[in-house]
Amino acid sequence: MRGRHKKTGKVLLALGAVLVIFGVVWVTVIFPEINKIPGDLVFSTDQQGTVTVFDSDSMQPVTYDVIGTRAYEAVRSTSSTVYLTETCTFVDADTGEPLTFLDSSYLLAIDRAERVNVPGCGDMDREGYFSFPRGVEPGRDYPLWITGNPAPVDATYIGEEQFRGLPVYVYELETPEEGLTVPAGLDTPEMQVHQYIKQFVEPVSGLTVYMESTTSRTARIPVLDDLFPNTVDPVLTEVTVYEDSLVFTDETVDRLVHDASFYHWALPWGSTHLPRLVFGLGIVMLIAGPVLLTRRPREAAALEGIPSEATGLYSKP
């Protein structure tokens, strides 16, 4: 019997030590790595709506029903930073024809843990958050850098509600009344961006499960009359050169809600419940092991209180 106790005690000590060591490694190494933006991230969202562009030939706005895709792919990663290409493409919703004149591409440098833009890296110097972080705090505003804008815009906390059975925080982003100024490029004039965005954010994961947005870009461009160049210099007129109204497609929302529902319970388990369970079991085993190793069999303890004559046991003289 005593040998069995010793064996069990040793097993418990070994298992307890393994569990405690695993808990330490999980908390300090494994889960923090899981909680980062993946170094091999491939992710996309689809939006639908309308895009209106100013046609320089007809000098009139032209509107398209579109489906837009915003795709992210990791092209390089370190322990702290991931470099993402962000590619925005549009197709005509009616014909499926690519609208390549609306396409754009960017290179982003993102802190994998904090989800903030890394200053001085990427194709331009960006500030603020790339996306909402893990553990979004109610009542707190977050400065988000929306690709295509020249500066971050504060995401203002509006409140909490249920969206498709999932608790979400509602945020709104809106540019100042005067807009944000986009400096002139080699072949583009200086523009003013006016933008409004509404997002539903699952707070545990920081995943945006619904988004709707409107964006307009205005510029002062020369408007020529029929007598040009026999008249005075053309007048610079403010024109809306780009305008869109977009919302996540139902398929994108379904996928994001599914992912966020999983993260909603999995992340707390991974960050809190699992470590507590592992540490708790490990400590119990580390306590129980020595107890069994030092415990004497009940039969031996009972015999110590009985005279040897009564037991039939005799010691040598």
Side-chain angles (χ1 to χ4, degrees):
M1 181 68 71
R2 181 167 178 79
R4 185 185 303 171
H5 287 161
K6 278 190 174 183
K7 184 176 180 180
T8 303
K10 290 177 181 179
V11 170
L12 289 177
L13 275 175
L15 288 177
V18 169
L19 286 175
V20 170
I21 292 171
F22 173 76
V24 172
V25 174
W26 175 268
V27 170
T28 59
V29 179
I30 299 176
F31 185 77
E33 188 66 24
I34 294 175
N35 207 32
K36 292 179 180 179
I37 296 177
D40 57 352
L41 176 71
V42 177
F43 179 78
S44 66
T45 58
D46 292 330
Q47 297 170 286
Q48 62 187 11
T50 60
V51 171
T52 301
V53 294
F54 183 77
D55 181 46
S56 57
D57 294 331
S58 65
M59 302 297 287
Q60 295 295 324
V62 180
T63 300
Y64 301 88
D65 292 322
V66 301
I67 295 177
T69 299
R70 192 178 294 268
Y72 301 92
E73 183 175 359
V75 293
R76 183 175 299 174
S77 177
T78 67
S79 60
S80 60
T81 304
V82 62
Y83 292 85
L84 303 175
T85 57
E86 179 179 3
T87 305
C88 304
T89 57
F90 291 87
V91 299
D92 190 301
D94 298 321
T95 66
E97 180 181 356
L99 304 174
T100 55
F101 58 89
L102 294 175
D103 294 352
S104 57
S105 183
Y106 309 89
L107 178 63
L108 315 176
I110 312 300
D111 185 294
R112 295 179 61 195
E114 301 298 328
R115 300 188 183 184
V116 295
N117 291 283
V118 178
C121 298
D123 58 10
M124 66 177 293
D125 195 14
R126 295 180 174 88
E127 304 172 357
Y129 283 88
F130 159 69
S131 65
F132 285 93
R134 304 286 198 205
V136 178
E137 300 175 19
R140 177 181 171 182
D141 299 341
Y142 294 86
L144 295 181
W145 188 295
I146 306 301
T147 307
N149 288 351
V153 178
D154 282 341
T156 303
Y157 177 80
I158 302 301
E160 181 178 356
E161 63 180 74
Q162 293 286 319
F163 178 70
R164 299 195 180 186
L166 188 69
V168 297
Y169 294 164
V170 181
Y171 279 88
E172 292 183 351
L173 297 83
E174 190 166 11
T175 53
E177 185 176 350
E178 66 276 12
L180 299 175
T181 301
V182 179
L186 293 176
D187 55 355
T188 57
E190 179 180 282
M191 289 184 284
Q192 299 297 123
V193 178
H194 295 82
Q195 190 171 59
Y196 169 80
I197 299 175
K198 184 177 184 179
Q199 297 189 28
F200 292 169
V201 182
E202 194 286 309
V204 176
S205 63
L207 188 62
T208 296
V209 298
Y210 173 85
M211 184 172 73
E212 60 183 56
S213 66
T214 57
T215 303
S216 68
R217 292 172 176 258
T218 60
R220 294 177 60 84
I221 63 174
V223 177
L224 311 179
D225 59 27
D226 294 338
L227 297 179
F228 185 83
N230 299 312
T231 57
V232 296
D233 292 337
V235 177
L236 291 177
T237 303
E238 186 171 287
V239 174
T240 299
V241 295
Y242 175 91
E243 189 171 17
D244 69 32
S245 178
L246 301 170
V247 62
F248 277 170
T249 63
D250 289 339
E251 293 79 5
T252 292
V253 171
D254 289 342
R255 173 167 51 86
L256 294 174
V257 168
H258 175 272
D259 293 347
S261 298
F262 170 76
Y263 293 136
H264 186 73
W265 69 264
L267 289 175
W269 258 97
S271 63
T272 304
H273 305 316
L274 179 60
R276 287 179 178 176
L277 179 63
V278 170
F279 279 123
L281 286 175
I283 291 172
V284 168
M285 290 180 179
L286 288 176
I287 294 174
V291 170
L292 289 177
L293 286 174
T294 58
R295 181 182 179 185
R296 300 181 64 187
R298 286 178 295 177
E299 293 84 350
L303 291 175
E304 286 180 355
I306 302 176
S308 59
E309 292 83 356
T311 63
L313 299 177
Y314 298 92
S315 58
K316 293 183 180 180

